[in-house]
Amino acid sequence: MTSETQLAFDHPEARSLASATGPLDRLSLRNHIVDVEIGAFQAERDMTQRLSFNLVVEIAPLPADLDDDVDRILSYDRLTEAISYELAAERLNLLETLSERIAARVLLEPQAQRVFVRIEKLDRGPGALGVEIVRSKTETAPEPAAASAAATPKVVFLSPDTFDSVICKKPAAKFLADILLEDGPVVFALPAAPVASVADTAAQFHIDLLAIEQNAWRLAAQENALRVVSSRAELDWAVREQQKIIWAPSKMVLDSVEGPPALGPAGGLSLAAWLARECEASAFVAIGVASDELAGEDLADVAHQLVDLEQREP
C-alpha cells in the first residue's frame, strides 16, 4: 500500500498532521458510535443503524496564562454536543449533509481553525461505508441549522366534514375565502382522505400521510391562491413571504427526529397540532372539531380556538 493510499484510510489526525502548514494543537474524538436513523433508501426508514464519528479539530494556541482553567479551552464535550445537536435537528438522508453541518457547528467555536469529520455506517455492508471532509474558518462554510425566522403562521385545520364542504363549495367555502383575505401567513392542515385499513401500524401511518397529501392537492386544484408545500425549508420561506399555503406532511413528519406517532382519532388533528408546535404558530384554528377532540391535543403555548361553522351561519 502506498503512503498516499495508507494516509487516505488512516485516522483524520494523520491527515491533519500531513497537511498542516504550521504547528497546531489538536483535539480529537475517536470511534464515537451512535445509533441513528439515517439514509436515503426506504429500507433505512423506521430503523436505526450504527454510525461511527471521528473528529479532529486544529485549534489556536492556548493562552499562556491558561491557569488550568477548563472554561478557557475548547472542551471535548463540544465535539459530542455538535454531533448530538445536528442529529436531533432533523432526520437526514446523506452522511455528506450531516458532516457539513457538524463541521460548521464546530467551527463556530472561537479556537477552532480547521476540522476533519469522518462518519461511517457500520451496518450497511461487510465493511465501514463513509465520508470524510475537511473544512476551515478561511473557507466559506455553510451555516449550521438555524432556528426558524421570526415570522410565525396561523395554522388552520379543517375537519373531515369541513373539508368535504369546502370541496363541494358549501357554506364552509365562504369561511375559507374569508381566511384567504386576512393578512399574514396561513398554513392549512388537512384531514386524511378515506382509506382502507391495514394491520401493519407503520404501513398505515404512511398510507394516512399520503391520504392527507391527496386532499392537499384536491384543495390546491380548487383554490388557485393556495399552493402545496412539503419541506420545512419551503414552508419557512412561504411564511416569511406572508403566503397562504397547504401542508403536505410526509417529508417533514418522516424526516423529523421525534415526529407524531399517529394521526389520532380526528384524522389529521394530531399532525396539525404537532405542526403548530413545530412552527411556534401565532394561532391554531380548528374548524368543525369538537372541543373534547381538541382537548386531547398538546398545543403547548400556542393560542387556539374552535370554529363551529353551523353556529356562524345566520
Side-chain angles (χ1 to χ4, degrees), residues 47-63:
M47 59 166 287
T48 61
Q49 54 185 301
R50 292 177 302 152
L51 296 188
S52 175
F53 295 85
N54 284 277
L55 275 65
V56 171
V57 186
E58 296 175 344
I59 59 178
L62 296 173

Side-chain angles (χ1 to χ4, degrees), residues 249-284:
S250 292
K251 180 171 176 54
M252 277 184 60
V253 169
L254 297 176
D255 286 354
S256 65
V257 176
E258 296 182 359
L263 295 187
L269 179 60
S270 295
L271 281 188
W274 176 81
L275 175 66
R277 296 193 304 271
E278 286 290 299
C279 296
E280 299 181 350
S282 59
F284 179 74

Side-chain angles (χ1 to χ4, degrees), residues 96-151:
E96 288 83 352
T97 305
L98 180 58
S99 300
E100 289 280 2
R101 293 186 180 182
I102 292 172
R105 186 158 297 280
V106 170
L107 288 171
L108 291 176
E109 298 293 332
Q111 281 185 293
Q113 303 301 305
R114 190 166 67 149
V115 59
F116 293 75
V117 179
R118 175 183 288 177
I119 308 178
E120 296 170 307
K121 293 183 178 183
L122 303 182
D123 301 324
R124 286 293 291 167
L129 310 174
V131 300
E132 180 179 323
I133 67 170
V134 55
R135 298 292 182 266
S136 70
K137 270 194 172 138
T138 58
E139 300 170 344
T140 304
E143 289 294 328
S148 300

Side-chain angles (χ1 to χ4, degrees), residues 29-49:
L29 174 68
R30 291 175 178 262
N31 303 323
H32 178 66
I33 298 176
V34 183
D35 288 328
V36 180
E37 183 185 338
I38 191 170
F41 296 155
Q42 189 61 42
E44 295 176 288
R45 293 274 182 182
D46 303 321
M47 59 166 287
T48 61
Q49 54 185 301

